[in-house]
Amino acid sequence: MLQSRQGLAYTYCNDRPAPLCSWSFWLFNRSKKVWFRLEGQAVGGPIEPRFAYRGREILYGNGRRAGALPGAGSGECSAAQPPIRWGKLLGNGWGQGPGGTNYYLSIWTRWSWLHPAWCHPERFEMFF
């Protein structure tokens, strides 16, 4: 059974906490991360995460995916919604983020210019 977590915070490339609702942070910082809190997982242990933005699965490269995500529902990906395609592999991994968060997704800069999520890390969701 897949578990999911919503994004909780953003950081700059050096893992320094970023202000929420900062338009300049969102548009003008090349590297940023959205952070999730995974409890009950072996920190540093292997997981195969999948990510979504506003209920749409994020795919990379040729659309490769690791397995099926949940069906339609509150906060879950829906097969009726087209996936978001990123041109390269999703950067993600364990770390120490703000507020006790411990897993991150690197956000692709060009993609962030087209999606106004600067106030809303919760628009990102992680499935594992």
Side-chain angles (χ1 to χ4, degrees):
M1 175 181 232
L2 288 177
Q3 297 182 39
S4 70
R5 300 290 186 272
Q6 288 187 296
L8 297 174
Y10 292 124
T11 60
Y12 294 93
C13 61
N14 59 2
D15 296 337
R16 194 178 73 221
L20 285 181
C21 296
S22 170
W23 180 83
S24 61
F25 159 76
W26 188 253
L27 290 179
F28 298 121
N29 282 279
R30 288 180 15 157
S31 298
K32 48 192 154 292
K33 297 175 181 174
V34 60
W35 287 87
F36 305 85
R37 183 179 301 120
L38 276 69
E39 299 166 359
Q41 296 292 318
V43 174
I47 60 172
E48 294 185 29
R50 308 273 305 285
F51 298 93
Y53 174 74
R54 298 185 88 178
R56 295 174 60 193
E57 183 178 6
I58 300 172
L59 303 178
Y60 59 90
N62 63 2
R64 191 167 60 138
R65 54 179 68 178
L69 287 180
S74 175
E76 295 180 338
C77 291
S78 168
Q81 295 182 350
I84 296 170
R85 298 192 185 276
W86 284 5
K88 60 182 181 177
L89 184 64
L90 303 175
N92 63 87
W94 295 102
Q96 291 183 337
T101 56
N102 56 4
Y103 204 90
Y104 68 88
L105 168 65
S106 295
I107 300 172
W108 191 32
T109 303
R110 190 169 67 207
W111 182 86
S112 71
W113 292 342
L114 303 173
H115 294 83
W118 45 279
C119 278
H120 304 283
E122 72 277 1
R123 289 183 180 173
F124 290 91
E125 195 166 6
M126 174 184 179
F127 296 86
F128 58 98

